[in-house]
Amino acid sequence: MPTTPAAFVRTFAGLPLDFEPGTAFRYSNSGYFLLGAIIEKVTGKPYAQVLTENILQPLHMQDTGYDQSDIILPRRASGYDHSPTGIYNTSYLDMAVPYAAGSLYSTVLDLYKWDQALYTTQLLSEAGKALVFKAYKKNYAYAWTNSKAVIGPDTVALLGHSGHVNGFGTYLLRTPKEHNLVVVLDNEGGPAVQEVSLDLLRVLYHRPTTGPKPGPPAPKPIAVDAATVAPYVGKYQLSPTFFITVKAEGSQLSAQATGQPPFSLVATAPTRFTVQGVPAEVEFVKNASGTVEKLILHQGGHDSPGAKVE
């Protein structure tokens, strides 16, 4: 459902810190959400307006904007996801929920305009760019991951970032020395955007591509009894509008995510289950007293926790 920056900030503002600020790094969408709220507080303008006035209009990014469901966008891509029974329309997500942690639509050409502007001082001063691109913790800068790729005889310095939201996945790679850019925009949930990006980078450097890498061997199923799986039954909240409901029929678990068809869960460990027909796993986590407190959805290189709410 729709929300406001102030209302959403209140959902996590009182939670304890994971670590002392400045001592460690852990990616958090809430941090980007909070940054958007700060921008609105400082400027006195809506986040979308600030983006438009300060970035999109000056760079003539006519096909980029803050995604609002009531605005008709010609050639807007629809998002899809995978289930054990095939591809389906992804569940609806009001973009007020991801807010400054996502919520933008764009095109490859517009993202190229933005990328090239980052080599000038149109958006950032030289001092500002040095600050933004410098890695601080775990090779992470201000929203940029610093890395290197060995491509044939070349070692290429990279700046990149990925993004995922219901039905969509993105990956962007910059090579600051050569001013090359790779952008992959996917509307099937983005399971292979990173692999595709690296292969396109190989093409730029006249190296052979590798194609999709085979996944790791599937873990072997194990037998579990009804008493083992019974505590896992319940409803888990992964985001304000996205839930996974777990049911049991004897020793067999099934689950259903918001807006998706149900799917079977196959045990590979007492607390870990594969999603039948989908490259994903569900892990159930217990607290110190042995009560199940959350599940973690492992999919596409991302770990999405969800607290048990029912």
mmCIF file of all heavy atoms in Angstrom, residues 88 234-236 238 242-247 253-265 282 295:
data_model
loop_
_atom_site.group_PDB
_atom_site.id
_atom_site.type_symbol
_atom_site.label_atom_id
_atom_site.label_comp_id
_atom_site.label_asym_id
_atom_site.label_seq_id
_atom_site.Cartn_x
_atom_site.Cartn_y
_atom_site.Cartn_z
ATOM 1 N N TYR A 88 5.138 -15.469 -14.668
ATOM 2 C CA TYR A 88 3.863 -14.813 -14.346
ATOM 3 C C TYR A 88 4.105 -13.311 -14.167
ATOM 4 O O TYR A 88 5.238 -12.866 -13.964
ATOM 5 C CB TYR A 88 3.241 -15.403 -13.083
ATOM 6 C CG TYR A 88 4.086 -15.215 -11.848
ATOM 7 C CD1 TYR A 88 3.901 -14.126 -10.998
ATOM 8 C CD2 TYR A 88 5.092 -16.120 -11.522
ATOM 9 C CE1 TYR A 88 4.679 -13.940 -9.867
ATOM 10 C CE2 TYR A 88 5.880 -15.952 -10.391
ATOM 11 C CZ TYR A 88 5.666 -14.866 -9.574
ATOM 12 O OH TYR A 88 6.454 -14.687 -8.466
ATOM 13 N N GLY A 234 3.272 -20.353 9.078
ATOM 14 C CA GLY A 234 2.961 -18.986 9.490
ATOM 15 C C GLY A 234 3.130 -18.001 8.357
ATOM 16 O O GLY A 234 3.336 -18.387 7.199
ATOM 17 N N LYS A 235 3.060 -16.743 8.694
ATOM 18 C CA LYS A 235 3.147 -15.659 7.712
ATOM 19 C C LYS A 235 4.378 -14.816 8.024
ATOM 20 O O LYS A 235 4.585 -14.412 9.169
ATOM 21 C CB LYS A 235 1.885 -14.799 7.759
ATOM 22 C CG LYS A 235 1.751 -13.785 6.636
ATOM 23 C CD LYS A 235 0.379 -13.111 6.686
ATOM 24 C CE LYS A 235 0.153 -12.171 5.515
ATOM 25 N NZ LYS A 235 -1.190 -11.545 5.556
ATOM 26 N N TYR A 236 5.179 -14.549 6.995
ATOM 27 C CA TYR A 236 6.435 -13.840 7.154
ATOM 28 C C TYR A 236 6.425 -12.571 6.299
ATOM 29 O O TYR A 236 6.033 -12.612 5.122
ATOM 30 C CB TYR A 236 7.605 -14.730 6.737
ATOM 31 C CG TYR A 236 7.716 -16.013 7.545
ATOM 32 C CD1 TYR A 236 6.929 -17.120 7.241
ATOM 33 C CD2 TYR A 236 8.593 -16.115 8.612
ATOM 34 C CE1 TYR A 236 7.023 -18.297 7.980
ATOM 35 C CE2 TYR A 236 8.707 -17.287 9.356
ATOM 36 C CZ TYR A 236 7.919 -18.374 9.030
ATOM 37 O OH TYR A 236 8.022 -19.533 9.768
ATOM 38 N N LEU A 238 8.447 -9.774 4.369
ATOM 39 C CA LEU A 238 9.735 -9.419 3.803
ATOM 40 C C LEU A 238 9.831 -7.938 3.463
ATOM 41 O O LEU A 238 10.925 -7.398 3.302
ATOM 42 C CB LEU A 238 10.035 -10.266 2.558
ATOM 43 C CG LEU A 238 10.500 -11.702 2.832
ATOM 44 C CD1 LEU A 238 9.333 -12.576 3.291
ATOM 45 C CD2 LEU A 238 11.160 -12.310 1.605
ATOM 46 N N PHE A 242 4.978 -7.198 1.025
ATOM 47 C CA PHE A 242 5.340 -8.496 0.456
ATOM 48 C C PHE A 242 5.468 -9.518 1.581
ATOM 49 O O PHE A 242 6.281 -9.364 2.493
ATOM 50 C CB PHE A 242 6.649 -8.401 -0.326
ATOM 51 C CG PHE A 242 6.992 -9.648 -1.092
ATOM 52 C CD1 PHE A 242 6.302 -9.972 -2.237
ATOM 53 C CD2 PHE A 242 7.999 -10.495 -0.651
ATOM 54 C CE1 PHE A 242 6.608 -11.121 -2.952
ATOM 55 C CE2 PHE A 242 8.316 -11.636 -1.358
ATOM 56 C CZ PHE A 242 7.618 -11.953 -2.511
ATOM 57 N N PHE A 243 4.638 -10.569 1.515
ATOM 58 C CA PHE A 243 4.592 -11.605 2.548
ATOM 59 C C PHE A 243 4.790 -12.979 1.903
ATOM 60 O O PHE A 243 4.469 -13.188 0.730
ATOM 61 C CB PHE A 243 3.241 -11.591 3.272
ATOM 62 C CG PHE A 243 2.964 -10.321 4.023
ATOM 63 C CD1 PHE A 243 2.435 -9.213 3.367
ATOM 64 C CD2 PHE A 243 3.211 -10.238 5.384
ATOM 65 C CE1 PHE A 243 2.162 -8.043 4.064
ATOM 66 C CE2 PHE A 243 2.931 -9.068 6.090
ATOM 67 C CZ PHE A 243 2.410 -7.974 5.428
ATOM 68 N N ILE A 244 5.302 -13.902 2.674
ATOM 69 C CA ILE A 244 5.333 -15.313 2.294
ATOM 70 C C ILE A 244 4.577 -16.091 3.361
ATOM 71 O O ILE A 244 4.894 -16.008 4.546
ATOM 72 C CB ILE A 244 6.770 -15.844 2.156
ATOM 73 C CG1 ILE A 244 7.462 -15.204 0.955
ATOM 74 C CG2 ILE A 244 6.762 -17.368 2.005
ATOM 75 C CD1 ILE A 244 8.895 -15.670 0.748
ATOM 76 N N THR A 245 3.554 -16.818 2.932
ATOM 77 C CA THR A 245 2.748 -17.630 3.840
ATOM 78 C C THR A 245 3.130 -19.087 3.668
ATOM 79 O O THR A 245 3.100 -19.620 2.548
ATOM 80 C CB THR A 245 1.248 -17.438 3.558
ATOM 81 O OG1 THR A 245 0.914 -16.047 3.702
ATOM 82 C CG2 THR A 245 0.408 -18.264 4.516
ATOM 83 N N VAL A 246 3.510 -19.722 4.756
ATOM 84 C CA VAL A 246 3.971 -21.107 4.738
ATOM 85 C C VAL A 246 2.890 -21.999 5.348
ATOM 86 O O VAL A 246 2.360 -21.703 6.429
ATOM 87 C CB VAL A 246 5.292 -21.264 5.518
ATOM 88 C CG1 VAL A 246 5.734 -22.725 5.540
ATOM 89 C CG2 VAL A 246 6.375 -20.384 4.895
ATOM 90 N N LYS A 247 2.566 -23.090 4.644
ATOM 91 C CA LYS A 247 1.574 -24.056 5.120
ATOM 92 C C LYS A 247 2.202 -25.453 5.132
ATOM 93 O O LYS A 247 3.206 -25.703 4.466
ATOM 94 C CB LYS A 247 0.341 -24.038 4.217
ATOM 95 C CG LYS A 247 -0.391 -22.698 4.185
ATOM 96 C CD LYS A 247 -1.605 -22.749 3.263
ATOM 97 C CE LYS A 247 -2.337 -21.405 3.249
ATOM 98 N NZ LYS A 247 -3.519 -21.434 2.346
ATOM 99 N N LEU A 253 5.876 -29.095 3.192
ATOM 100 C CA LEU A 253 5.666 -27.656 3.279
ATOM 101 C C LEU A 253 5.354 -27.076 1.906
ATOM 102 O O LEU A 253 5.900 -27.526 0.884
ATOM 103 C CB LEU A 253 6.903 -26.951 3.827
ATOM 104 C CG LEU A 253 7.165 -26.970 5.340
ATOM 105 C CD1 LEU A 253 8.371 -26.103 5.653
ATOM 106 C CD2 LEU A 253 5.952 -26.497 6.124
ATOM 107 N N SER A 254 4.523 -26.067 1.895
ATOM 108 C CA SER A 254 4.309 -25.253 0.700
ATOM 109 C C SER A 254 4.305 -23.801 1.129
ATOM 110 O O SER A 254 4.132 -23.479 2.310
ATOM 111 C CB SER A 254 2.992 -25.608 0.003
ATOM 112 O OG SER A 254 1.892 -25.284 0.838
ATOM 113 N N ALA A 255 4.521 -22.913 0.180
ATOM 114 C CA ALA A 255 4.559 -21.485 0.488
ATOM 115 C C ALA A 255 3.924 -20.707 -0.642
ATOM 116 O O ALA A 255 3.880 -21.166 -1.794
ATOM 117 C CB ALA A 255 5.997 -21.020 0.722
ATOM 118 N N GLN A 256 3.449 -19.524 -0.317
ATOM 119 C CA GLN A 256 2.866 -18.643 -1.330
ATOM 120 C C GLN A 256 3.244 -17.210 -1.012
ATOM 121 O O GLN A 256 3.013 -16.718 0.088
ATOM 122 C CB GLN A 256 1.347 -18.793 -1.383
ATOM 123 C CG GLN A 256 0.701 -18.003 -2.515
ATOM 124 C CD GLN A 256 -0.748 -18.376 -2.721
ATOM 125 O OE1 GLN A 256 -1.356 -19.041 -1.886
ATOM 126 N NE2 GLN A 256 -1.328 -17.958 -3.837
ATOM 127 N N ALA A 257 3.875 -16.554 -1.981
ATOM 128 C CA ALA A 257 4.264 -15.159 -1.832
ATOM 129 C C ALA A 257 3.143 -14.261 -2.341
ATOM 130 O O ALA A 257 2.300 -14.681 -3.146
ATOM 131 C CB ALA A 257 5.549 -14.888 -2.594
ATOM 132 N N THR A 258 3.140 -13.036 -1.895
ATOM 133 C CA THR A 258 2.114 -12.073 -2.285
ATOM 134 C C THR A 258 2.000 -11.983 -3.806
ATOM 135 O O THR A 258 2.984 -11.743 -4.501
ATOM 136 C CB THR A 258 2.455 -10.684 -1.727
ATOM 137 O OG1 THR A 258 2.556 -10.764 -0.313
ATOM 138 C CG2 THR A 258 1.391 -9.668 -2.109
ATOM 139 N N GLY A 259 0.802 -12.221 -4.333
ATOM 140 C CA GLY A 259 0.540 -12.094 -5.753
ATOM 141 C C GLY A 259 1.096 -13.208 -6.600
ATOM 142 O O GLY A 259 1.110 -13.108 -7.831
ATOM 143 N N GLN A 260 1.537 -14.321 -5.988
ATOM 144 C CA GLN A 260 2.154 -15.412 -6.740
ATOM 145 C C GLN A 260 1.427 -16.720 -6.460
ATOM 146 O O GLN A 260 0.770 -16.871 -5.423
ATOM 147 C CB GLN A 260 3.630 -15.547 -6.365
ATOM 148 C CG GLN A 260 4.448 -14.292 -6.619
ATOM 149 C CD GLN A 260 5.903 -14.468 -6.212
ATOM 150 O OE1 GLN A 260 6.380 -15.577 -6.010
ATOM 151 N NE2 GLN A 260 6.617 -13.349 -6.086
ATOM 152 N N PRO A 261 1.575 -17.691 -7.362
ATOM 153 C CA PRO A 261 0.968 -18.996 -7.100
ATOM 154 C C PRO A 261 1.754 -19.743 -6.028
ATOM 155 O O PRO A 261 2.926 -19.447 -5.783
ATOM 156 C CB PRO A 261 1.092 -19.697 -8.470
ATOM 157 C CG PRO A 261 2.227 -19.030 -9.148
ATOM 158 C CD PRO A 261 2.202 -17.603 -8.689
ATOM 159 N N PRO A 262 1.139 -20.718 -5.360
ATOM 160 C CA PRO A 262 1.858 -21.473 -4.335
ATOM 161 C C PRO A 262 2.953 -22.347 -4.945
ATOM 162 O O PRO A 262 2.895 -22.719 -6.117
ATOM 163 C CB PRO A 262 0.757 -22.321 -3.690
ATOM 164 C CG PRO A 262 -0.323 -22.395 -4.715
ATOM 165 C CD PRO A 262 -0.259 -21.129 -5.505
ATOM 166 N N PHE A 263 3.952 -22.681 -4.135
ATOM 167 C CA PHE A 263 5.044 -23.538 -4.581
ATOM 168 C C PHE A 263 5.444 -24.475 -3.451
ATOM 169 O O PHE A 263 5.236 -24.188 -2.265
ATOM 170 C CB PHE A 263 6.245 -22.709 -5.049
ATOM 171 C CG PHE A 263 6.661 -21.619 -4.093
ATOM 172 C CD1 PHE A 263 7.518 -21.874 -3.026
ATOM 173 C CD2 PHE A 263 6.195 -20.317 -4.265
ATOM 174 C CE1 PHE A 263 7.898 -20.865 -2.153
ATOM 175 C CE2 PHE A 263 6.565 -19.300 -3.379
ATOM 176 C CZ PHE A 263 7.428 -19.582 -2.328
ATOM 177 N N SER A 264 6.008 -25.618 -3.827
ATOM 178 C CA SER A 264 6.418 -26.613 -2.850
ATOM 179 C C SER A 264 7.814 -26.320 -2.334
ATOM 180 O O SER A 264 8.665 -25.792 -3.067
ATOM 181 C CB SER A 264 6.395 -28.015 -3.476
ATOM 182 O OG SER A 264 5.080 -28.366 -3.861
ATOM 183 N N LEU A 265 8.065 -26.667 -1.081
ATOM 184 C CA LEU A 265 9.372 -26.535 -0.465
ATOM 185 C C LEU A 265 9.920 -27.928 -0.184
ATOM 186 O O LEU A 265 9.235 -28.762 0.412
ATOM 187 C CB LEU A 265 9.283 -25.733 0.838
ATOM 188 C CG LEU A 265 8.813 -24.277 0.710
ATOM 189 C CD1 LEU A 265 8.707 -23.636 2.095
ATOM 190 C CD2 LEU A 265 9.759 -23.471 -0.165
ATOM 191 N N VAL A 282 14.720 -21.301 0.900
ATOM 192 C CA VAL A 282 14.119 -20.674 2.068
ATOM 193 C C VAL A 282 14.764 -21.285 3.306
ATOM 194 O O VAL A 282 14.836 -22.506 3.443
ATOM 195 C CB VAL A 282 12.593 -20.891 2.098
ATOM 196 C CG1 VAL A 282 12.012 -20.449 3.439
ATOM 197 C CG2 VAL A 282 11.926 -20.121 0.964
ATOM 198 N N LEU A 295 12.215 -16.074 8.414
ATOM 199 C CA LEU A 295 12.769 -16.862 7.325
ATOM 200 C C LEU A 295 13.664 -15.956 6.497
ATOM 201 O O LEU A 295 13.542 -14.726 6.533
ATOM 202 C CB LEU A 295 11.689 -17.530 6.471
ATOM 203 C CG LEU A 295 10.705 -16.716 5.602
ATOM 204 C CD1 LEU A 295 11.357 -16.042 4.409
ATOM 205 C CD2 LEU A 295 9.604 -17.628 5.106
#
